[in-house]
Amino acid sequence: MSKIEPLVIIGSGPSGYTAAVYAARAQLSPILLEGSVTAGGALMNTTEVENFPGFKDGIMGPVLMEEMRAQAERFGTRFITDDAVKVDLTGEIKTIEDGSGNKYQAKAVILATGSGYKKIGLAKEETLSGRGVSYCATCDGFFFKEQAIAVVGGGDSAVEEATFLTRFASKVYLIHRRDELRASRIMQKRAQDDPKIEFVWNTEVIDILGEDKVTGVTLKDTKTGETKNLSLTGIFVAIGHIPRSELLIGQIDLDDAGYVLAKPGSTKTNIEGVFACGDLVDHVYRQAITAAGTGCQAALDAERFLASQGIFSA
Amino acid sequence: MATKILTDATFDEEIKNSTTPILVDFWAEWCGPCKMIAPVLEQIANENEGKIVIAKLNVDENPKTAQALGITSIPTMNVYKDGQLAKTIVGAKPKPALLADLASFL
């Protein structure tokens, strides 16, 4: 077991990296467990980010994350490219264990593990994953050149994916269970103007067809209950996210959906010295910039907490 | 480099002639999760030399093989044993999870 650190940050992405920039500049020399295969977070699977202030021509999601990481590194963040697999946050000294069995002890912890994608919950979704069912348009769009495919969902990510996929596919159905999108107006307009995108409103996917590969979907009209089949070779699921809070169950207060409950107006959790930020907490805004904002708040809250304990640097 | 590079031209031959199980990582430059999994596979290759061969096939440069195998998501990791497909792993996973998936080959 190593020495007791002032601060360990679990999770990367805009919130974890921003927390690290602030904590490192505060001389806390934070350890950041950035994830073994998820470092950089959800933005690593996106293309152009157009709404992050400061980049008038947009910036690629992965590039933005590399820059944030480098900025955190510049001020002395120590990165561990591994996952937290076990935590004990309840005592005064918090213990975190990574996937290689290394243990870290800290006076304060910032939780920034973000969210993972939500599945529809159909049996075929599992068996045909990698056989036409996908959760990453930027990874897998390439395989659907000149084919008819569908994106399921109605938020920004669904509409962005649909637009992105028109580079490859001959036809993209955007299947949404409501009659309006949650996506931003500019994304909606872009999709509506795209001749390859066809909106399928008030519709749920109730089955995925095909044995060895996807051949179609069964759709159900949410108003009339009518069902019909649609032939396609790919289905991209973008129906939202679930917070990655499994590790915290039983220690940190979570809401019914699994989001960490932070005290209003702060990033403090129910346990002293444990702070939470980003998509792990936020089920309302879920933007790169709001995640970065709460990451900053968490670092400042942690810094104040540590100062109250007489700890001012690593 | 502990990993072996496969191409459309060499794929069949390498699978057929491998004396140990061979894992083929189908990847591309634009795929974020593929880049993250690469160092993990490199480690697994180094730590299990002689037991399993870890190979990579770039689907962008070698579309024929990926298409023939019906691959539609990357990273996909196919494990071949005695020339036959023995396991398919789809998506990036942390090392302990990958090792668990590969346990019967190591």
Side-chain angles (χ1 to χ4, degrees):
Chain A
M1 186 90 55
S2 53
K3 69 170 189 135
I4 297 166
E5 305 286 345
L7 175 65
V8 169
I9 300 167
I10 306 174
S12 44
S15 61
Y17 286 150
T18 304
V21 169
Y22 273 76
R25 292 192 76 246
Q27 306 294 305
L28 293 171
S29 184
I31 287 185
L32 191 154
L33 275 83
E34 60 180 346
S36 62
V37 291
T38 52
L43 279 181
M44 297 303 282
N45 295 338
T46 62
T47 52
E48 191 105 320
V49 178
E50 292 180 332
N51 54 9
F52 201 90
F55 301 95
K56 71 178 168 60
D57 300 320
I59 181 166
M60 297 300 278
V63 176
L64 180 60
M65 288 304 97
E66 273 167 38
E67 292 288 328
M68 278 194 200
R69 186 185 190 279
Q71 194 175 353
E73 192 167 38
R74 178 182 155 203
F75 298 110
T77 301
R78 292 170 287 164
F79 293 96
I80 309 290
T81 308
D82 209 330
D83 309 291
V85 296
K86 211 167 149 191
V87 295
D88 183 356
L89 303 172
T90 49
E92 199 184 321
I93 307 295
K94 329 290 181 196
T95 311
I96 299 106
E97 189 177 330
D98 74 16
S100 312
N102 301 310
K103 285 185 180 167
Y104 308 88
Q105 289 189 304
K107 298 284 277 186
V109 171
I110 292 175
L111 305 169
T113 48
S115 55
Y117 52 76
K118 198 188 266 177
K119 295 183 174 182
I120 304 174
L122 302 169
K124 284 282 186 71
E125 207 177 344
E126 294 295 332
T127 54
L128 293 175
S129 169
R131 297 271 152 192
V133 178
S134 174
Y135 302 88
C136 178
T138 55
C139 306
D140 302 339
F142 167 82
F143 297 105
F144 298 93
K145 282 179 191 157
E146 298 304 316
Q147 298 176 42
I149 60 176
V151 174
V152 188
D156 263 337
S157 22
V159 178
E160 191 200 328
E161 287 194 4
T163 307
F164 173 78
L165 288 166
T166 59
R167 295 186 197 182
F168 307 100
S170 54
K171 173 102 196 169
V172 179
Y173 296 98
L174 187 56
I175 302 171
H176 188 40
R177 61 196 164 105
R178 302 184 204 285
D179 58 6
E180 57 178 3
L181 300 167
R182 289 189 315 275
S184 57
R185 297 269 179 234
I186 187 167
M187 298 295 307
Q188 293 194 28
K189 173 95 175 55
R190 213 171 282 164
Q192 276 153 2
D193 290 347
D194 196 313
K196 283 187 179 178
I197 297 179
E198 181 177 331
F199 290 86
V200 186
W201 301 110
N202 298 313
T203 299
E204 275 176 349
V205 176
I206 57 166
D207 199 7
I208 299 171
L209 307 172
E211 288 309 314
D212 305 326
K213 57 180 188 189
V214 171
T215 57
V217 285
T218 304
L219 304 176
K220 182 182 172 188
D221 189 308
T222 56
K223 293 224 158 120
T224 63
E226 229 170 279
T227 63
K228 64 169 182 188
N229 290 348
L230 186 63
S231 285
L232 41 80
T233 55
I235 169 166
F236 288 80
V237 181
I239 55 171
H241 294 86
I242 39 170
R244 294 174 59 208
S245 57
E246 321 81 58
L247 272 187
L248 310 173
I249 294 169
Q251 298 186 45
I252 300 287
D253 288 348
L254 309 175
D255 73 7
D256 292 343
Y259 290 92
V260 169
L261 288 166
K263 301 211 168 116
S266 88
T267 62
K268 292 176 186 164
T269 67
N270 58 307
I271 296 180
E272 197 174 56
V274 181
F275 307 87
C277 53
D279 285 1
L280 180 65
V281 182
D282 174 16
H283 48 85
V284 181
Y285 304 104
R286 288 182 296 211
Q287 303 298 305
I289 188 67
T290 52
T294 59
C296 160
Q297 287 176 280
L300 294 176
D301 285 343
E303 189 186 340
R304 277 177 204 145
F305 165 76
L306 289 166
S308 75
Q309 309 281 305
I311 299 167
F312 296 94
S313 65
Chain B
M1 278 287 271
T3 50
K4 195 171 206 162
I5 309 293
L6 302 189
T7 65
D8 280 344
T10 62
F11 181 83
D12 288 340
E13 199 73 1
E14 292 281 0
I15 297 304
K16 202 170 69 186
N17 294 338
S18 186
T19 51
T20 65
I22 176 167
L23 176 150
V24 185
D25 169 30
F26 296 87
W27 73 287
E29 198 58 51
W30 66 75
C31 159
C34 298
K35 285 189 184 162
M36 311 236 189
I37 201 80
V40 177
L41 290 173
E42 187 85 21
Q43 279 175 23
I44 293 176
N46 284 325
E47 290 160 8
N48 296 280
E49 239 182 296
K51 287 191 252 174
I52 191 166
V53 171
I54 307 284
K56 293 167 76 84
L57 185 130
N58 182 318
V59 298
D60 196 19
E61 292 163 5
N62 302 281
K64 276 189 202 153
T65 305
Q67 199 180 6
L69 296 171
I71 285 167
T72 64
S73 284
I74 47 174
T76 284
M77 288 153 275
N78 278 353
V79 186
Y80 298 87
K81 198 178 169 188
D82 303 322
Q84 301 295 318
L85 179 63
K87 191 169 188 81
T88 297
I89 303 165
V90 179
K93 292 182 181 189
K95 190 175 168 190
L98 265 183
L99 285 175
D101 282 345
L102 296 175
S104 59
F105 305 103
L106 302 176

